[in-house]
């Protein structure tokens, strides 16, 4: 047990000067090395991101052009609907309006004819 304690204390004393030997210049060198390695590791990732950015820009351009085409198509469809409604709707309105005026005229004729029939019935009953 004494031997284990002795060796552990010995190793602790040996490692203390090694830890204390690192000064600011050594730490700066270590930082530079780590930064350089990080840059080399991140370079392919940055290239992939740049490729994705160019693809994203191309997709945005394509979407913008499609949006313009869709807007033009929507306007065309709207005008076609207006024309179709005008072609089929206006004649239907005219026919309905004529039917109403014809119905009014027919009702007037029926009323006058019923009045004449009543007069003739009265005259016939008065003559008999």
């Amino acid at each position: 047990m004494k031997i284990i304690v002795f060796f552990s204390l010995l190793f602790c004393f040996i490692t203390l000067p090694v830890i204390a030997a690192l000064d600011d210049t050594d730490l700066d060198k270590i930082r530079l090395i780590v930064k350089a390695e990080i840059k080399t590791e991140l370079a392919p990732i940055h290239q992939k991101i740049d490729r994705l950015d160019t693809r994203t820009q191309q997709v945005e351009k394509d979407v913008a052009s499609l949006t313009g085409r869709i807007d033009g198509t929507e306007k065309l469809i709207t005008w076609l609907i207006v024309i179709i409604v005008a072609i089929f709707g206006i004649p239907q309105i005219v026919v309905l309006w004529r039917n109403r005026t014809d119905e009014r005229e027919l009702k007037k004729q029926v009323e006058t004819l019923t009045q004449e029939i009543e007069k003739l019935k009265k005259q016939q009953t008065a003559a008999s």
Side-chain angles (χ1 to χ4, degrees):
M1 182 75 162
K2 291 180 187 180
I3 295 174
I4 295 174
V5 171
F6 175 74
F7 279 117
S8 63
L9 288 174
L10 179 68
F11 288 132
C12 287
F13 288 123
I14 291 173
T15 57
L16 281 177
V18 172
I19 294 173
L22 289 176
D23 56 353
D24 290 335
T25 57
D26 294 332
L27 292 175
D28 289 338
K29 288 178 184 177
I30 293 171
R31 285 186 194 118
L32 289 175
I33 293 170
V34 169
K35 284 182 183 179
E37 287 184 20
I38 289 173
K39 284 183 183 178
T40 57
E41 292 292 324
L42 290 179
I45 295 172
H46 286 297
Q47 290 174 351
K48 288 180 182 178
I49 289 172
D50 291 339
R51 279 188 243 134
L52 284 175
D53 285 343
T54 56
R55 287 181 186 169
T56 303
Q57 290 172 355
Q58 183 63 36
V59 168
E60 287 175 354
K61 289 177 185 176
D62 293 343
V63 167
S65 68
L66 286 176
T67 303
R69 290 180 191 167
I70 289 172
D71 289 342
T73 305
E74 286 177 355
K75 288 178 184 176
L76 179 66
I77 290 173
T78 303
W79 281 109
L80 285 174
I81 290 172
V82 168
I83 290 170
I84 290 171
V85 167
I87 289 172
F88 292 108
I90 292 174
Q92 291 294 327
I93 292 170
V94 169
V95 167
L96 288 174
W97 180 69
R98 284 186 182 171
N99 284 342
R100 285 189 180 177
T101 56
D102 289 344
E103 285 179 12
R104 289 180 191 154
E105 289 177 6
L106 287 175
K107 284 183 182 179
K108 287 180 183 178
Q109 287 177 356
V110 167
E111 286 178 15
T112 56
L113 288 175
T114 53
Q115 288 174 358
E116 287 181 17
I117 291 173
E118 290 297 322
K119 285 181 186 178
L120 290 173
K121 282 184 183 179
K122 287 182 185 178
Q123 288 176 358
Q124 192 178 19
T125 54
S128 6

